[in-house]
Amino acid sequence: MSSVLSSLIRLRPRPTNLLRLLWCLLLVWYEIGTFYHHVSQCTWPDSRLDSLDVPEASNVTEPTHVLLVADPQILDQRSYPGRDPALMWLTQRIVDMNMRRSWRATQTLHPDVVVFLGDMMDGGRFAMSDPEYESYYNRFKDIFFMKKDIPVFYIPGNHDIGLGNSGAFSSNAYDRYQKHFGPLNQNVEIANHSFVMVNAPGLVDEDNDRAMKGVSYARWAAAMPGGPIEFVYSTGGHAGHSETPTILLTHIPLARPEGSDCGPLREKWTIHQGVGFGYQNTLSDEASEFVLQALKPSAIFSGDDHDYCGYWHTLPGSNGRTVKEVSVKSFSMAMGVKVPGFQLLSLFPASYSGKESFQDIPCFLPNQNRIYLSIYVPLVFFSLLSLLVSNFHRVKALDNSQTYWNSSGTDAMESWAEGRAYLDAGAWRATTPTSIDEQVPLRKVSEAPNEDEDDEAYSLPVPGSSARRAFARSRTCSKSWSFILWGRRRHMTLDSSCLSSVLSPFFYQDGRNPMDYRRSRAGFFRGVFRDVFDVAWPALVLFVLLAWWTFL
């Protein structure tokens, strides 16, 4: 086996096959492997909860794991107005494929509960037919497919139900959302924690109407039952509300001073106050104070901004007590952040004694745009340059060999003519060669053997079949193993010739392969085109297969 490997190593490698191998390895890693690698670097923050006091009567020893996903915003044809339909179709497929792979990798964390922090669909608020919305919704459910039956909760975002008044928004956006995703406002208990999920876009609209009429929150809550203001007011005034830690979930972040720092994990700038078509960056100062005072949350998680932001709010009337709000990164590669992400939240069902019974940690997904621009694009140029240089040297060597034969052509032709005349005279006859590397000595047939001469020179050659077997035995070796399987002894033999046949296509065969010969005689441009095709088609086939597997 070592002799076969050494002989293969001595042969000259094909640049095309080395590039094929490089492209295939990188595609498998950057299209599949890197997603699982990034997720594997993020673990549930359970170790931070070891200091909590667990009631002796409690049978629960493991924390409850909550996965927080923000702003996937599944694209549709309205996402980029004016973009070519074919390009828009391609953009949707690339973004969908990226989120499918991210979601498959994320599911390896095995969360107990999943919460989407709004903006599930980029165009969910717009007027469209029921079949179109159903198809749009099914795309979302197909991307975020759950392998096991676990609780999933949704809170509405401004892209789901709209914010403000616009003729482009559907008049039944609220009803459509509730039919497919559930209630607009929810108060759910998870592992001895109250999750208050607020309809933030509705709260913004109601708060604007309330402020214009100059009505207090208490009076508005009494006059408008079922709205987000009434929900917050009644939830905060509930008798048992303060007995369990409250986790506030809102799509729109709470107000903070302009230019407030978001921490080192943010990619750029900060959350600015601003209002525009169908959006508002933060709740108003009054609405934020109302929510904080009514709910007195222990933690706040929001979305909408697409980038990570950590900010500490001061609770009104609590003697300086603060609460942290985390704006969770968008899960999508198309939301203006280089690195998408999500948030992990661990809950410990301990009795509330003033200590935090939860911990959270951000997780980051691959930078897909960097993969395209910093890996694939440079590799394309490197591959082209390698093939150009390889073919340049090949053509140069071919020109040199032709120049040599042209310069010595007269002597070669005279030698060839003499040899041809000698063979035509019938004085010599060639026997069958024993191998591709060996030639059987020619036997003289016009004369009788001389007894004084060496008999070995005129002995019959080894028959062709026997010679081939001898040659095969000399060039191959094997390794055998014996083992017991299902009560019977089994034998397995590995022939090095099989290994050679598998590895040899990745190497030149010193001109003995007809394909190599034709390749070596091709012109520069034809050779470059053929090499580019030889490198590209396996990578394209593998990319299509990986994409097909992703959409299964």
Side-chain angles (χ1 to χ4, degrees):
M1 174 119 19
S2 59
S3 62
V4 175
L5 289 177
S6 61
S7 64
L8 288 173
I9 293 173
R10 286 195 298 270
L11 296 176
R12 187 157 56 110
R14 288 181 177 177
T16 53
N17 281 328
L18 293 179
L19 288 173
R20 282 181 187 175
L21 182 61
L22 177 61
W23 269 104
C24 291
L25 290 176
L26 290 179
L27 280 174
V28 171
W29 175 251
Y30 284 109
E31 297 300 312
I32 300 295
T34 188
F35 291 88
Y36 290 90
H37 173 71
H38 275 74
V39 172
S40 68
Q41 302 302 305
C42 195
T43 58
W44 297 98
D46 298 343
S47 58
R48 305 182 188 180
L49 304 175
D50 295 338
S51 60
L52 294 176
D53 297 327
V54 182
E56 296 181 0
S58 175
N59 295 324
V60 180
T61 58
E62 296 295 331
T64 299
H65 296 148
V66 181
L67 171 64
L68 301 175
V69 179
D71 302 274
Q73 287 189 222
I74 307 301
L75 304 179
D76 68 348
Q77 69 273 15
R78 304 172 185 84
S79 299
Y80 299 102
R83 179 170 292 192
D84 181 77
L87 184 59
M88 188 65 240
W89 179 89
L90 180 62
T91 303
Q92 290 183 25
R93 296 306 177 273
I94 292 176
V95 175
D96 285 7
M97 185 167 59
N98 172 267
M99 282 195 286
R100 283 174 179 271
R101 290 169 177 168
S102 297
W103 183 247
R104 283 193 178 185
T106 303
Q107 284 193 298
T108 61
L109 296 172
H110 305 292
D112 300 312
V113 181
V114 177
V115 179
F116 286 87
L117 298 176
D119 279 0
M120 279 69 74
M121 302 189 300
D122 190 52
R125 58 188 173 178
F126 292 112
M128 65 183 74
S129 64
D130 290 340
E132 183 181 358
Y133 188 88
E134 287 294 334
S135 176
Y136 199 3
Y137 171 77
N138 289 333
R139 255 183 68 210
F140 168 81
K141 297 294 288 185
D142 193 39
I143 293 173
F144 293 97
F145 172 75
M146 303 291 178
K147 292 184 177 180
K148 61 179 182 178
D149 188 15
I150 60 175
V152 182
F153 300 96
Y154 306 92
I155 63 174
N158 55 300
H159 282 266
D160 300 313
I161 59 175
L163 190 153
N165 297 319
S166 173
F169 298 162
S170 175
S171 58
N172 63 337
Y174 274 56
D175 294 335
R176 196 167 56 189
Y177 172 89
Q178 293 180 84
K179 177 182 176 182
H180 292 84
F181 293 102
L184 296 167
N185 301 284
Q186 300 183 70
N187 185 6
V188 181
E189 183 170 321
I190 303 174
N192 202 34
H193 293 73
S194 295
F195 279 73
V196 180
M197 309 177 191
V198 178
N199 172 15
L203 178 61
V204 169
D205 287 337
E206 273 200 355
D207 188 54
N208 290 335
D209 294 339
R210 180 204 62 81
M212 291 178 61
K213 297 179 179 180
V215 180
S216 66
Y217 285 102
R219 290 184 58 187
W220 185 272
M224 301 292 293
I229 292 180
E230 189 273 335
F231 170 75
V232 172
Y233 190 83
S234 61
T235 301
H238 192 270
H241 172 70
S242 60
E243 297 178 1
T244 58
T246 298
I247 310 293
L248 172 61
L249 304 180
T250 168
H251 176 70
I252 301 176
L254 273 62
R256 72 280 312 275
E258 185 67 23
S260 298
D261 184 35
C262 285
L265 297 180
R266 188 173 179 85
E267 293 185 13
K268 57 184 179 180
W269 307 317
T270 185
I271 298 180
H272 297 284
Q273 297 181 2
V275 180
F277 173 72
Y279 76 89
Q280 182 170 313
N281 289 340
T282 64
L283 300 179
S284 66
D285 292 338
E286 284 187 285
S288 299
E289 183 178 356
F290 162 67
V291 171
L292 291 173
Q293 188 171 19
L295 299 177
K296 296 179 176 57
S298 301
I300 306 170
F301 295 96
S302 59
D304 188 63
D305 183 65
H306 301 166
D307 201 356
Y308 181 90
C309 184
Y311 179 78
W312 291 86
H313 298 276
T314 301
L315 293 177
S318 61
N319 296 324
R321 179 186 160 203
T322 58
V323 56
K324 184 179 181 180
E325 177 184 353
V326 173
S327 295
V328 180
K329 268 183 168 285
S330 170
F331 198 78
S332 172
M333 62 172 282
M335 292 299 112
V337 290
K338 297 179 181 178
V339 180
F342 53 91
Q343 200 81 4
L344 299 181
L345 175 64
S346 292
L347 306 174
F348 204 87
S351 59
Y352 188 65
S353 58
K355 296 182 179 180
E356 289 186 350
S357 55
F358 57 87
Q359 286 292 343
D360 66 283
I361 188 172
C363 296
F364 305 105
L365 294 166
N367 184 344
Q368 187 70 67
N369 292 323
R370 177 181 173 274
I371 293 174
Y372 288 149
L373 299 178
S374 301
I375 304 296
Y376 291 163
V377 171
L379 186 56
V380 167
F381 286 104
F382 171 77
S383 301
L384 290 174
L385 180 62
S386 300
L387 296 178
L388 287 171
V389 172
S390 174
N391 279 273
F392 174 78
H393 285 291
R394 177 185 58 79
V395 172
K396 184 178 179 181
L398 180 62
D399 292 340
N400 292 337
S401 65
Q402 289 177 345
T403 302
Y404 170 78
W405 285 108
N406 290 335
S407 64
S408 58
T410 303
D411 296 337
M413 289 299 295
E414 291 177 355
S415 300
W416 179 85
E418 293 176 358
R420 183 66 184 176
Y422 192 58
L423 291 175
D424 291 342
W428 297 84
R429 183 172 67 202
T431 59
T432 304
T434 60
S435 73
I436 202 169
D437 295 329
E438 302 177 13
Q439 297 294 330
V440 177
L442 298 175
R443 179 182 178 189
K444 195 171 182 180
V445 297
S446 60
E447 301 177 2
N450 192 330
E451 295 179 356
D452 297 334
E453 294 181 0
D454 188 3
D455 292 341
E456 184 179 356
Y458 290 93
S459 60
L460 291 173
V462 180
S465 59
S466 300
R468 282 192 292 270
R469 287 194 296 269
F471 172 75
R473 287 194 298 269
S474 67
R475 294 292 298 270
T476 63
C477 58
S478 61
K479 178 69 175 179
S480 299
W481 292 271
S482 179
F483 55 93
I484 297 177
L485 179 63
W486 295 329
R488 297 183 59 184
R489 182 167 293 278
R490 314 285 180 171
H491 297 276
M492 185 174 66
T493 301
L494 177 62
D495 194 339
S496 62
S497 62
C498 298
L499 181 61
S500 175
S501 64
V502 172
L503 296 179
S504 61
F506 285 90
F507 299 85
Y508 279 118
Q509 296 297 301
D510 297 335
R512 289 175 288 179
N513 190 332
M515 292 297 294
D516 291 336
Y517 177 78
R518 288 195 293 269
R519 183 187 301 272
S520 66
R521 308 293 294 183
F524 177 77
F525 291 104
R526 185 177 180 182
V528 170
F529 176 80
R530 180 182 295 172
D531 287 349
V532 169
F533 177 79
D534 288 346
V535 172
W537 77 259
L540 291 175
V541 169
L542 179 59
F543 182 84
V544 171
L545 290 176
L546 294 176
W548 172 77
W549 175 82
T550 301
F551 281 92
L552 284 179

